[in-house]
Amino acid sequence: MKKMKGIRKRWIMNSISAVLVVVLLSVTAFSVAMVSYYYSNMRTGLQSKLTVAANMFSGYKTEADYYQNASAFVTGQFEDSDTLNFQILDSEGVMHFSSLIQIAGYQPDTPDIREALGGVHMGVWTGSDPDTEEHVMAVSCPLKVNGEVVSVIRIVTSLVLVDRQIVIVVAAALLVGLLVLALLYLSGLYFVRSIVDPVVEVTRTAEHIAAGSYGIQMEKQFDDEVGDLIDAINDMSLKIKQSEKLKNEFISSVSHELRTPLTAINGWAETIMNGEVRDAQDVKKGMGIIVSEARRLTNMVEELLEFSRIQDGRFTLSVEPIDIKAELEDAVYTYKEFFRRDGIELTHTDCEEEFPIMNADPERLRQVLCNLLDNAAKHGGSGKRIDTAIRREGDQAVITIRDYGPGIPEEELPHVKTRFYKGSSKARGSGIGLAVCEEIVTRHQGTLEIGNAEGGGCIVTIRLPIGT
């Protein structure tokens, strides 16, 4: 659970911090743009009004004329005279007229005035009034006679209302940014929780599985990547349960399979050794049982060793050129007499077409053929007949082995090649022979198919690639 909290913390540190920086930068940029917009409009408006005034006062020739007509201009032609302070200063920067307050003789000495006195067409200044500390904007324009600056006209306005409006707009933008941040946080928290909570459940389930609770299932809530993960965990849990069940059944089965021949071998060996059997025929029969059961043990051990090599990745092939028809004929010849003794007829159907030499491991293929023939007798021997055949289909050699026994229940067919699986069959065996056979055939780039034949019995089909 601490790890999950760590994920939330990292998400907050990474995602929310990044979004917060973006929001702050956006609000800052917006604020700067608003300040620039408002101040620019204010400056443009003041410059426009000052241009009108300058054009009117340009017809006067003396300072006396400027001062005499200033009052008439403010009251008659100057707009917003109640909010804008219209001023006239002399060539020394001393104020002679103010439309709002009478402060003749006052010398503001602000940058805009200095620029105008220096001959700049129009000076602009924004700052705090030296006397009132009020935030103001001032625009000054020189009035010239014969190229000499004889006076300066100036408009001053307070920026208190503008600044207040800017603060309101910026505050609104900041509020919107905070709302966006909150929405992102809540939606992100929901998103993270939709991932973290299932992962917590997956972790808990994995711990239960590791503790031995095989087969435990989780509820799938989302049809997405997390849902796919849950499906995979559920599937893994079921497969582990099945594997554990098969393993236990295998151990029980192998224990039984080993105990039976060992009991027979020990019993007959002790009987013969103690001299309890004196008849030559009985001794021969006992020795035959010992050899048969020893061979059965050997085959079982070989299967286990082969399976162990497959599991450990030590399973290899010794490939050489072989005649697949000859290999099948040898296997049939080997088992024909064994089957005859048990009352089973083994029939082989060859094909006239010659097969090219193929590259394969003869020992491994012989192991497959012998195992399949042995299975046919073990599980289908009650039909008293086994048929083998070989034919060519394109670039493949097709080998079939069919018995006439009871066949395989349909529900067991998909599992018969699964390791340790024995199904409902009561025949003795380890349950890994077919798994080893399929591995060998697959290593030869072929396929092993098992199914029920028409008319009864089981049929095994091996397809192996051959040269052309």
Side-chain angles (χ1 to χ4, degrees), residues 243 246 303 307 310-311 368 371-372 375 379 408-424 430-442 446-452 458-463:
S243 297
L246 288 174
E303 285 183 352
F307 181 74
I310 292 172
Q311 292 297 101
V368 171
N371 190 294
L372 294 177
N375 276 350
H379 300 284
I408 303 173
E410 290 296 328
E411 65 274 11
E412 295 182 9
L413 275 176
H415 309 291
V416 292
K417 292 185 288 185
T418 303
R419 58 183 181 177
F420 310 140
Y421 185 80
K422 296 185 66 176
S424 58
S430 63
I432 60 175
L434 288 177
V436 173
C437 289
E438 184 175 45
E439 181 68 21
I440 294 173
V441 173
T442 301
T447 60
L448 176 65
E449 302 169 2
I450 301 177
N452 290 319
C458 175
I459 182 168
V460 180
T461 306
I462 304 173
R463 299 180 184 273

Side-chain angles (χ1 to χ4, degrees), residues 49-308:
K49 293 180 184 300
L50 195 58
T51 299
V52 173
N55 289 335
M56 176 184 175
F57 279 83
S58 62
Y60 304 131
K61 301 300 182 184
T62 64
E63 291 184 27
D65 293 335
Y66 298 148
Y67 307 146
Q68 182 179 355
N69 292 280
S71 179
F73 170 76
V74 170
T75 57
Q77 302 180 32
F78 185 64
E79 298 177 356
D80 303 320
S81 58
D82 55 339
T83 58
L84 302 179
N85 187 4
F86 181 78
Q87 301 172 354
I88 296 181
L89 298 85
D90 61 19
S91 59
E92 299 298 327
V94 178
M95 188 181 298
H96 282 259
F97 176 82
S98 175
S99 62
L100 292 182
I101 55 175
Q102 299 298 322
I103 50 174
Y106 172 66
Q107 190 172 3
D109 192 28
T110 55
D112 60 305
I113 297 174
R114 290 194 294 270
E115 291 178 6
L117 292 174
V120 177
H121 175 67
M122 197 170 290
V124 181
W125 169 72
T126 301
S128 297
D129 187 279
D131 295 318
T132 64
E133 298 297 329
E134 186 179 9
H135 195 208
V136 297
M137 178 182 289
V139 180
S140 299
C141 180
L143 296 176
K144 299 180 181 179
V145 176
N146 296 325
E148 295 291 332
V149 177
V150 297
S151 184
V152 173
I153 57 175
R154 184 175 186 244
I155 296 178
V156 182
T157 184
S158 173
L159 294 177
V160 173
L161 296 178
V162 174
D163 291 342
R164 185 180 301 167
Q165 185 64 31
I166 291 175
V167 169
I168 293 174
V169 172
V170 171
L174 185 60
L175 180 61
V176 171
L178 292 176
L179 289 175
V180 170
L181 186 64
L183 289 175
L184 286 175
Y185 174 78
L186 294 175
S187 62
L189 192 62
Y190 172 78
F191 174 73
V192 170
R193 183 176 299 170
S194 68
I195 295 177
V196 170
D197 289 349
V199 171
V200 171
E201 183 65 22
V202 168
T203 302
R204 188 179 297 112
T205 302
E207 291 173 350
H208 289 320
I209 293 174
S213 298
Y214 308 130
I216 187 173
Q217 298 288 286
M218 291 181 292
E219 181 181 358
K220 180 179 178 181
Q221 298 180 348
F222 303 99
D223 190 16
D224 53 12
E225 289 80 0
V226 175
D228 293 339
L229 174 62
I230 291 176
D231 285 340
I233 296 294
N234 287 338
D235 185 58
M236 179 192 71
S237 179
L238 287 176
K239 288 183 177 178
I240 292 177
K241 181 180 180 180
Q242 293 170 358
S243 297
E244 186 70 11
K245 179 182 178 182
L246 288 174
K247 184 194 73 173
N248 293 334
E249 291 177 351
F250 167 74
I251 293 174
S252 175
S253 174
V254 168
S255 299
H256 175 73
E257 294 293 336
L258 291 174
R259 185 185 300 112
T260 302
L262 286 174
T263 300
I265 292 172
N266 288 334
W268 276 103
E270 290 175 357
T271 299
I272 294 174
M273 183 180 67
N274 294 333
E276 297 178 9
V277 179
R278 301 182 182 277
D279 186 75
Q281 288 294 103
D282 291 339
V283 172
K284 184 178 180 180
K285 179 181 178 182
M287 293 301 296
I289 292 175
I290 291 175
V291 170
S292 175
E293 295 301 325
R295 184 182 296 114
R296 189 184 302 277
L297 283 175
T298 301
N299 291 337
M300 189 178 301
V301 171
E302 286 296 327
E303 285 183 352
L304 292 173
L305 288 175
E306 290 294 343
F307 181 74
S308 176

